[in-house]
PDB file of all heavy atoms in Angstrom:
ATOM      1  N   LEU A 206     -18.773   0.590 -10.767  1.00 97.00           N
ATOM      2  CA  LEU A 206     -17.471   1.236 -10.935  1.00 97.00           C
ATOM      3  C   LEU A 206     -16.812   1.243  -9.561  1.00 97.00           C
ATOM      4  O   LEU A 206     -17.491   1.519  -8.566  1.00 97.00           O
ATOM      5  CB  LEU A 206     -17.664   2.706 -11.316  1.00 97.00           C
ATOM      6  CG  LEU A 206     -17.612   3.156 -12.755  1.00 97.00           C
ATOM      7  CD1 LEU A 206     -17.777   4.666 -12.785  1.00 97.00           C
ATOM      8  CD2 LEU A 206     -16.306   2.768 -13.429  1.00 97.00           C
ATOM      9  N   GLY A 207     -15.533   0.989  -9.489  1.00 95.00           N
ATOM     10  CA  GLY A 207     -14.886   1.019  -8.179  1.00 95.00           C
ATOM     11  C   GLY A 207     -13.449   1.454  -8.301  1.00 95.00           C
ATOM     12  O   GLY A 207     -12.793   1.156  -9.308  1.00 95.00           O
ATOM     13  N   SER A 208     -12.961   2.164  -7.259  1.00 90.00           N
ATOM     14  CA  SER A 208     -11.568   2.584  -7.332  1.00 90.00           C
ATOM     15  C   SER A 208     -10.637   1.401  -7.100  1.00 90.00           C
ATOM     16  O   SER A 208      -9.446   1.499  -7.353  1.00 90.00           O
ATOM     17  CB  SER A 208     -11.269   3.693  -6.331  1.00 90.00           C
ATOM     18  OG  SER A 208     -11.847   3.372  -5.109  1.00 90.00           O
ATOM     19  N   ASP A 209     -11.143   0.294  -6.598  1.00 82.00           N
ATOM     20  CA  ASP A 209     -10.379  -0.952  -6.680  1.00 82.00           C
ATOM     21  C   ASP A 209     -11.346  -2.121  -6.662  1.00 82.00           C
ATOM     22  O   ASP A 209     -12.529  -1.976  -6.347  1.00 82.00           O
ATOM     23  CB  ASP A 209      -9.312  -1.060  -5.587  1.00 82.00           C
ATOM     24  CG  ASP A 209      -9.870  -0.997  -4.180  1.00 82.00           C
ATOM     25  OD1 ASP A 209     -10.951  -1.550  -3.951  1.00 82.00           O
ATOM     26  OD2 ASP A 209      -9.215  -0.385  -3.325  1.00 82.00           O
ATOM     27  N   SER A 210     -10.831  -3.275  -7.015  1.00 79.00           N
ATOM     28  CA  SER A 210     -11.696  -4.444  -7.139  1.00 79.00           C
ATOM     29  C   SER A 210     -12.243  -4.882  -5.782  1.00 79.00           C
ATOM     30  O   SER A 210     -13.298  -5.488  -5.694  1.00 79.00           O
ATOM     31  CB  SER A 210     -10.926  -5.588  -7.779  1.00 79.00           C
ATOM     32  OG  SER A 210      -9.757  -5.825  -7.042  1.00 79.00           O
ATOM     33  N   TYR A 211     -11.516  -4.530  -4.724  1.00 77.00           N
ATOM     34  CA  TYR A 211     -11.918  -4.927  -3.377  1.00 77.00           C
ATOM     35  C   TYR A 211     -13.322  -4.421  -3.040  1.00 77.00           C
ATOM     36  O   TYR A 211     -14.134  -5.136  -2.444  1.00 77.00           O
ATOM     37  CB  TYR A 211     -10.863  -4.375  -2.408  1.00 77.00           C
ATOM     38  CG  TYR A 211     -11.170  -4.550  -0.946  1.00 77.00           C
ATOM     39  CD1 TYR A 211     -11.612  -5.765  -0.455  1.00 77.00           C
ATOM     40  CD2 TYR A 211     -10.972  -3.496  -0.050  1.00 77.00           C
ATOM     41  CE1 TYR A 211     -11.874  -5.917   0.897  1.00 77.00           C
ATOM     42  CE2 TYR A 211     -11.228  -3.645   1.283  1.00 77.00           C
ATOM     43  CZ  TYR A 211     -11.686  -4.850   1.757  1.00 77.00           C
ATOM     44  OH  TYR A 211     -11.942  -5.003   3.088  1.00 77.00           O
ATOM     45  N   ALA A 212     -13.616  -3.186  -3.494  1.00 80.00           N
ATOM     46  CA  ALA A 212     -14.938  -2.600  -3.215  1.00 80.00           C
ATOM     47  C   ALA A 212     -16.039  -3.373  -3.915  1.00 80.00           C
ATOM     48  O   ALA A 212     -17.199  -3.325  -3.524  1.00 80.00           O
ATOM     49  CB  ALA A 212     -14.953  -1.160  -3.683  1.00 80.00           C
ATOM     50  N   LEU A 213     -15.682  -4.086  -4.975  1.00 88.00           N
ATOM     51  CA  LEU A 213     -16.699  -4.739  -5.810  1.00 88.00           C
ATOM     52  C   LEU A 213     -16.876  -6.212  -5.459  1.00 88.00           C
ATOM     53  O   LEU A 213     -17.797  -6.866  -5.937  1.00 88.00           O
ATOM     54  CB  LEU A 213     -16.313  -4.607  -7.289  1.00 88.00           C
ATOM     55  CG  LEU A 213     -15.989  -3.194  -7.788  1.00 88.00           C
ATOM     56  CD1 LEU A 213     -15.619  -3.221  -9.250  1.00 88.00           C
ATOM     57  CD2 LEU A 213     -17.164  -2.257  -7.556  1.00 88.00           C
ATOM     58  N   LYS A 214     -15.972  -6.722  -4.620  1.00 83.00           N
ATOM     59  CA  LYS A 214     -15.902  -8.170  -4.438  1.00 83.00           C
ATOM     60  C   LYS A 214     -17.168  -8.821  -3.910  1.00 83.00           C
ATOM     61  O   LYS A 214     -17.463  -9.956  -4.249  1.00 83.00           O
ATOM     62  CB  LYS A 214     -14.711  -8.524  -3.559  1.00 83.00           C
ATOM     63  CG  LYS A 214     -13.484  -8.676  -4.406  1.00 83.00           C
ATOM     64  CD  LYS A 214     -12.347  -9.338  -3.714  1.00 83.00           C
ATOM     65  CE  LYS A 214     -11.301  -9.641  -4.778  1.00 83.00           C
ATOM     66  NZ  LYS A 214      -9.963  -9.683  -4.298  1.00 83.00           N
ATOM     67  N   SER A 215     -17.899  -8.110  -3.053  1.00 84.00           N
ATOM     68  CA  SER A 215     -19.106  -8.743  -2.512  1.00 84.00           C
ATOM     69  C   SER A 215     -20.201  -8.787  -3.585  1.00 84.00           C
ATOM     70  O   SER A 215     -21.177  -9.504  -3.458  1.00 84.00           O
ATOM     71  CB  SER A 215     -19.606  -7.978  -1.293  1.00 84.00           C
ATOM     72  OG  SER A 215     -19.908  -6.675  -1.692  1.00 84.00           O
ATOM     73  N   MET A 216     -20.046  -8.024  -4.670  1.00 92.00           N
ATOM     74  CA  MET A 216     -21.099  -7.933  -5.672  1.00 92.00           C
ATOM     75  C   MET A 216     -20.770  -8.720  -6.948  1.00 92.00           C
ATOM     76  O   MET A 216     -21.665  -9.201  -7.616  1.00 92.00           O
ATOM     77  CB  MET A 216     -21.355  -6.460  -6.008  1.00 92.00           C
ATOM     78  CG  MET A 216     -21.763  -5.672  -4.753  1.00 92.00           C
ATOM     79  SD  MET A 216     -22.109  -3.939  -5.037  1.00 92.00           S
ATOM     80  CE  MET A 216     -20.528  -3.231  -5.259  1.00 92.00           C
ATOM     81  N   THR A 217     -19.502  -8.827  -7.268  1.00 93.00           N
ATOM     82  CA  THR A 217     -19.132  -9.555  -8.497  1.00 93.00           C
ATOM     83  C   THR A 217     -17.675  -9.994  -8.445  1.00 93.00           C
ATOM     84  O   THR A 217     -16.881  -9.424  -7.703  1.00 93.00           O
ATOM     85  CB  THR A 217     -19.307  -8.651  -9.748  1.00 93.00           C
ATOM     86  OG1 THR A 217     -18.971  -9.403 -10.901  1.00 93.00           O
ATOM     87  CG2 THR A 217     -18.450  -7.409  -9.694  1.00 93.00           C
ATOM     88  N   ASN A 218     -17.348 -11.023  -9.234  1.00 90.00           N
ATOM     89  CA  ASN A 218     -15.928 -11.350  -9.384  1.00 90.00           C
ATOM     90  C   ASN A 218     -15.470 -11.149 -10.832  1.00 90.00           C
ATOM     91  O   ASN A 218     -14.382 -11.539 -11.206  1.00 90.00           O
ATOM     92  CB  ASN A 218     -15.625 -12.773  -8.903  1.00 90.00           C
ATOM     93  CG  ASN A 218     -16.275 -13.813  -9.773  1.00 90.00           C
ATOM     94  OD1 ASN A 218     -17.161 -13.499 -10.564  1.00 90.00           O
ATOM     95  ND2 ASN A 218     -15.853 -15.050  -9.621  1.00 90.00           N
ATOM     96  N   LYS A 219     -16.363 -10.516 -11.624  1.00 94.00           N
ATOM     97  CA  LYS A 219     -16.002 -10.247 -13.038  1.00 94.00           C
ATOM     98  C   LYS A 219     -15.683  -8.759 -13.186  1.00 94.00           C
ATOM     99  O   LYS A 219     -16.552  -7.911 -12.917  1.00 94.00           O
ATOM    100  CB  LYS A 219     -17.188 -10.559 -13.964  1.00 94.00           C
ATOM    101  CG  LYS A 219     -17.651 -11.993 -13.882  1.00 94.00           C
ATOM    102  CD  LYS A 219     -16.850 -12.865 -14.844  1.00 94.00           C
ATOM    103  CE  LYS A 219     -17.281 -14.301 -14.784  1.00 94.00           C
ATOM    104  NZ  LYS A 219     -16.237 -15.218 -14.346  1.00 94.00           N
TER     105      LYS A 219
END
Side-chain angles (χ1 to χ4, degrees):
L206 263 183
S208 44
D209 59 38
S210 55
Y211 174 47
L213 308 180
K214 273 194 170 152
S215 61
M216 301 181 286
T217 181
N218 67 345
K219 301 273 180 242

